[in-house]
Amino acid sequence: MATTKIYIVYYSLHGHVETMAREVQRGVNAVEGVEGTLWQVPETLSDLILQKMKAPPKANDVPEIRPEQLVEADGFLFGFPSRFGVMAAQCKAFFDATHEIWETQALAGKPAGVFWSTGFHGGGQELTALTAVTQLAHHGMIFVPLGYTFGSGMFDMNEVKGGSSYGSGTFAADGSRQPTELELQQAFYQGKYVAGIAKKLKA
């Protein structure tokens, strides 16, 4: 049976989404016959601005993706930080550049999930996912939410936890907070869950 290819496409400014993306990839690769590949969307900020924002260097082991490369994949997981309840402008710019693929509907019928990072509770833990669905819908992609399949981890009230029925998420606070073990567990689960669905659809 041919390998099912999942592209994990993300943007990360301070590293939180990257950390989540790597755990999502681990989950994808845990499914037999499925291969997860990490990709970064191109940066739109200048080096000077990034320096002033104290942004760490981008991961040098994750290549930048071009829009036309999306057609190679059987499914997707898109990750991004939230900006006022929507995906970061870098991700929106990337989706805006997919117009040629949109014209042919080359991504129609392919499953896609989303994961994210926000600053605080009011930063868009659900809204960021909801607004991202518009990008998937125009391409005809099939949005794959988690529902409550993550089980008891969805209901844990003993700690602050990002994520929702729409996908996995984390809180960055002022940038110093890192994804917790529970958030990483949900990211791993999401990768495994979406990979399983993509495998079934391809078969």
Side-chain angles (χ1 to χ4, degrees):
M1 184 181 294
T3 300
T4 301
K5 295 181 179 180
I6 303 295
Y7 281 5
I8 301 123
V9 182
Y10 73 90
Y11 173 74
S12 189
L13 181 62
H14 291 291
H16 301 83
V17 176
E18 180 192 332
T19 299
M20 296 286 284
R22 292 186 185 277
E23 201 64 23
V24 166
Q25 183 191 32
R26 285 187 63 245
V28 168
N29 289 335
V31 178
E32 185 178 357
V34 184
E35 178 183 75
T37 304
L38 289 173
W39 298 92
Q40 298 184 78
V41 302
E43 181 59 81
T44 60
L45 298 175
S46 69
D47 290 341
L48 178 60
I49 296 297
L50 291 171
Q51 182 181 355
K52 288 182 178 295
M53 296 179 76
K54 295 180 173 59
K58 303 293 184 189
N60 57 17
D61 62 333
V62 181
E64 285 190 354
I65 190 169
R66 301 186 310 275
E68 61 269 23
Q69 290 177 284
L70 292 176
V71 300
E72 302 165 358
D74 300 303
F76 307 94
L77 283 144
F78 296 102
F80 32 76
S82 178
R83 301 289 185 263
F84 303 109
V86 298
M87 65 174 62
Q90 289 83 351
C91 287
K92 184 60 171 64
F94 176 77
F95 274 107
D96 286 349
T98 63
H99 58 280
E100 291 184 1
I101 302 174
W102 167 80
E103 288 176 349
T104 62
Q105 288 292 285
L107 305 181
K110 296 187 178 187
V114 296
F115 59 100
W116 58 85
S117 170
T118 72
F120 300 95
H121 288 290
Q125 279 287 322
E126 291 194 347
L127 186 59
T128 306
L130 281 171
T131 52
V133 171
T134 60
Q135 311 299 313
L136 311 183
H138 281 262
H139 277 285
M141 286 186 273
I142 303 169
F143 174 52
V144 182
L146 285 183
Y148 284 81
T149 61
F150 184 49
S152 61
M154 297 292 293
F155 303 97
D156 194 318
M157 297 294 289
N158 295 318
E159 62 178 85
V160 174
K161 181 185 78 68
S164 69
S165 57
Y166 299 100
S168 59
T170 187
F171 289 105
D174 61 358
S176 61
R177 183 186 186 273
Q178 296 300 313
T180 66
E181 183 60 34
L182 184 57
E183 290 169 340
L184 292 174
Q185 288 174 9
Q186 188 176 23
F188 178 91
Y189 175 81
Q190 184 180 19
K192 191 173 180 180
Y193 182 75
V194 173
I197 291 175
K199 183 179 178 180
K200 289 178 183 178
L201 286 173
K202 183 169 184 177

